[in-house]
Amino acid sequence: MHLWRVAGSTWTRVSPDGRKIGSSLYSYGSPAWTVWSSKKAIALTVDRRTALVVHCRKGVVGEFPLDGEAQGYPVRWSDHEFAYIADFGPRRGRSIVVVDLTNGLSRHVYDTPHLMSDLCVRRRRDGGEVAWLEWPSGTMPWDSARALRAPRAYLRLVPNPVITPGAAAGLFFRDGLLHGVTETNDRFVPFSATAEGAVTVDESFPGEGRSDWFLGWRWHAPLADGTWRVSLSASTTTLMAPGREGWVALDSSPVALREIDGAGNRIVALASDGHSPAALVTYRVGAKKWKQRSPMTTEFPVAEVGEVRRTTTDVPFVYYEPHHDALVPPLDERPGLIVHIHGGPTAYAGRDYRYDFQHFVRSGWAIASVDYRGSTGYGARYRQSLYGAYGEADVRDVLEVIEFLTARSEIDPTRVFVRGGSSGGMTALLCAEDVRVAGAIAAYPVTDALALHYDTHEPESGYLEDLIGRLPGAEEKFRSVSPQFRDHYPRRVLIFQGDADPVVPASLVRHYVDSLIARGASVSYREFEGEGHGFRSTATNDEVLRREIEFLRS
């Protein structure tokens, strides 16, 4: 990944070859760069554990070593210092580290055994203040993250908790207040907090104000007329503007907003309208018009946006009709169905443009991407309804979508496949035990939940206990939902795995593959050297898609 400068329609790469800009904080990464001035930025390198001072015209003008095993959330600390969150692992915990650009010296101003994110600074001549999120190891941020704030100090920060109704997320300073979102009455909604600790919660905000998965995306943009925010509901994002009489939804909002920022009267976003791939786009409030800023180096076919539907038992899913040239009404042959199961499981299906989906639908397949119980965007009760029912409720919801589409004669019931990655991979393998499913495609799947509980990385060390049950005591429940120990098994499977996966160790997946082969299942397994949890290489992803197509056709 590189850092780029955008001037008009001209893109110029400013980070050098041999430097990979990025973050591996908690394995999934975090913000890895921040603006220093109108011409400079601070960027973290994930491969060398250094921070680069990058000038928009001169390139790298400084490089500083970083502490810890992983780093994230760089911020400007003072006129000559930047700070970041350093992760030293479960034994040493996390720290806020400040680096002096004049001499390269660093100092730890705060240490904690807890996990941290959302570091932000309000700089003032009288010192200003700092805020961040913190949650205990073994818990998940959407359940237990709390906001802390402290006067900015040279040596040690002395934090005070910000008392919000529920877990907090998305922190930033504006107009002397600390802003964020907090969970109350089943939803994440905006809040603001004074320096004295008074908290105001805006329950008029529609939908969910926190994005999916671990650390979440930046879903706020401080403009001249107030802070614009992203709302999520039923796998669809909407840009919300503050109005005199409440929040106003932007009619032209992209259905898949990943991240936003802004200043003055302009918003910058990474977004997809569903018809084309995600791109860097801008929106001017006065002009009321979106403009694409990132160039497309590859031609992509224009796609139809997925339709949000529900079964008769109210299971939501995003449906994509096949668009093969041969599929023209009247049609005697119904399309096969690919049911996509998102990972997490605390995530959502989404409606953004996905190249793999478009390839499948243009090959004559219908796709149903399911927001099974446990998904975000439907409130806390729906998200938490998978707690204690993982490997059961999610499986029932996916099979319900298959039954719904079959009963309506919309798909060919003899050509139904399920696919998913990580947690979604486990659900796919469990669903494929059903005789209605012809086969499963699973990437880096959870196969042995009990072993994974003890072998996975620290940030998710307690996640499976939330989803399945507390240990010790729930060992049999763990085994009962693990594909490794099931009496039934999928007849045909295609499994992908990275040998450097820090979340799902490759050894667990290999053991499962061996057990399937021993039981007579038809198994195709491909392990990729150097790949982790989520494949990054273009060559790897191209091979994955090619093998999936071959698997479906066979």
Side-chain angles (χ1 to χ4, degrees):
M1 184 181 295
H2 290 284
L3 199 62
W4 296 76
R5 173 178 177 263
V6 183
S9 59
T10 302
W11 284 64
T12 305
R13 198 184 78 188
V14 295
S15 58
D17 290 331
R19 298 291 195 278
K20 183 180 179 181
I21 306 300
S23 164
S24 60
L25 189 67
Y26 312 139
S27 300
Y28 296 106
S30 77
W33 68 279
T34 187
V35 172
W36 179 265
S37 66
S38 61
K39 295 183 179 180
K40 292 181 181 179
I42 302 290
L44 309 182
T45 65
V46 70
D47 51 347
R48 301 198 179 190
R49 295 182 184 175
T50 62
L52 306 178
V53 181
V54 183
H55 191 280
C56 65
R57 298 188 185 278
K58 301 177 183 179
V60 176
V61 295
E63 185 168 5
F64 301 87
L66 299 175
D67 292 346
E69 299 175 4
Q71 306 80 24
Y73 291 97
V75 295
R76 182 167 180 169
W77 185 265
S78 69
D79 290 341
H80 60 282
E81 297 169 316
F82 73 93
Y84 61 94
I85 292 174
D87 180 13
F88 293 88
R91 291 187 177 182
R92 293 184 56 192
R94 268 56 54 180
S95 298
I96 297 176
V97 183
V98 178
V99 179
D100 191 324
L101 295 178
T102 62
N103 55 30
L105 297 178
S106 64
R107 63 185 187 275
H108 291 212
V109 296
Y110 182 73
D111 304 296
T112 179
H114 301 318
L115 301 172
M116 302 171 66
S117 70
D118 288 53
L119 179 63
C120 55
V121 177
R122 183 168 74 100
R123 294 182 294 113
R124 295 181 56 179
R125 291 184 178 180
D126 61 358
E129 58 181 330
V130 188
W132 63 93
L133 292 177
E134 195 169 305
W135 63 99
S137 177
T139 67
M140 302 306 282
W142 49 80
D143 288 328
S144 58
R146 62 172 184 164
L148 299 176
R149 66 194 301 177
R152 190 176 55 138
Y154 183 82
L155 291 179
R156 300 299 293 176
L157 300 179
V158 181
N160 295 304
V162 179
I163 307 302
T164 54
L171 300 184
F172 66 98
F173 285 106
R174 178 173 185 173
D175 300 331
L177 300 176
L178 177 64
H179 297 265
V181 293
T182 183
E183 190 169 67
T184 182
N185 291 332
D186 203 40
R187 296 179 300 117
F188 275 95
V189 298
F191 78 86
S192 61
T194 66
E196 294 73 30
V199 174
T200 302
V201 178
D202 184 359
E203 295 193 48
S204 69
F205 187 78
E208 291 267 19
R210 186 192 192 279
S211 64
D212 68 320
W213 196 219
F214 204 74
L215 300 178
W217 299 100
R218 179 187 175 100
W219 272 14
H220 60 269
L223 301 190
D225 63 348
T227 299
W228 291 46
R229 291 183 174 275
V230 176
S231 171
L232 170 66
S233 180
S235 265
T236 305
T237 60
T238 304
L239 189 59
M240 307 297 299
R244 293 181 179 179
E245 298 181 1
W247 293 94
V248 179
L250 192 67
D251 293 337
S252 61
S253 177
V255 297
L257 285 156
R258 295 187 186 178
E259 195 164 10
I260 69 170
D261 201 348
N265 68 341
R266 187 175 70 168
I267 286 177
V268 180
L270 182 62
S272 169
D273 59 3
H275 297 292
S276 55
L280 186 70
V281 296
T282 57
Y283 177 82
R284 288 191 178 275
V285 176
K288 297 182 179 181
K289 186 177 181 180
W290 291 92
K291 182 179 180 180
Q292 182 172 315
R293 302 298 299 274
S294 54
M296 285 295 179
T297 57
T298 304
E299 290 292 331
F300 292 92
V302 176
E304 295 296 324
V305 182
E307 175 192 5
V308 180
R309 300 175 61 179
R310 290 179 180 267
T311 68
T312 52
T313 57
D314 215 28
V315 177
F317 63 99
V318 181
Y319 189 68
Y320 299 82
E321 293 275 3
H323 291 289
H324 193 280
D325 292 340
L327 299 176
V328 180
L331 181 67
D332 293 329
E333 181 182 353
R334 290 166 290 177
L337 175 69
I338 301 171
V339 182
H340 181 77
I341 306 166
H342 66 69
T346 310
Y348 62 98
R351 301 172 69 194
D352 53 332
Y353 185 105
R354 292 187 50 153
Y355 179 72
D356 53 350
F357 281 18
Q358 296 309 316
H359 198 100
F360 292 141
V361 298
R362 291 181 181 280
S363 299
W365 293 87
I367 293 180
S369 188
V370 184
D371 274 334
Y372 51 87
R373 276 170 282 183
S375 302
T376 58
Y378 302 87
R381 284 189 292 271
Y382 193 79
R383 186 188 77 235
Q384 295 168 357
S385 63
L386 195 61
Y387 286 4
Y390 182 46
E392 299 169 340
D394 47 335
V395 173
R396 288 195 296 270
D397 288 350
V398 171
L399 295 178
E400 168 62 23
V401 170
I402 295 172
E403 180 63 29
F404 174 77
L405 293 172
T406 300
R408 294 170 61 90
S409 299
E410 295 187 45
I411 54 116
D412 179 354
T414 68
R415 294 190 295 138
V416 175
F417 291 82
V418 290
R419 74 191 288 261
S422 190
S423 168
M426 173 179 132
T427 304
L429 294 172
L430 294 176
C431 288
E433 296 174 2
D434 193 283
V435 296
R436 290 170 290 184
V437 178
I441 301 170
Y444 32 88
V446 176
T447 56
D448 183 341
L450 186 60
L452 183 64
H453 168 75
Y454 295 108
D455 289 349
T456 193
H457 62 162
E458 181 192 4
E460 294 180 80
S461 60
Y463 193 22
L464 287 171
E465 286 188 281
D466 291 336
L467 294 168
I468 301 173
R470 293 298 162 189
L471 296 170
E475 288 82 0
E476 286 305 313
K477 181 70 178 296
F478 269 73
R479 293 188 182 94
S480 71
V481 298
S482 296
Q484 180 72 48
F485 303 108
R486 305 274 291 186
D487 292 333
H488 300 285
Y489 56 92
R491 299 184 300 280
R492 294 182 63 234
V493 293
L494 172 61
I495 298 177
F496 302 105
Q497 179 66 33
D499 69 353
D501 193 330
V503 181
V504 176
S507 59
L508 298 182
V509 180
R510 294 179 199 132
H511 187 42
Y512 174 66
V513 168
D514 291 342
S515 69
L516 284 180
I517 294 174
R519 298 174 79 175
S522 174
V523 183
S524 296
Y525 178 67
R526 177 68 167 96
E527 188 171 297
F528 296 98
E529 182 180 357
E531 290 284 8
H533 201 70
F535 302 143
R536 300 291 186 264
S537 165
T538 300
T540 298
N541 284 297
D542 287 346
E543 181 179 340
V544 166
L545 183 57
R546 176 178 59 79
R547 286 176 176 265
E548 284 189 280
I549 294 168
E550 293 173 353
F551 180 77
L552 294 169
R553 287 175 176 171
S554 65

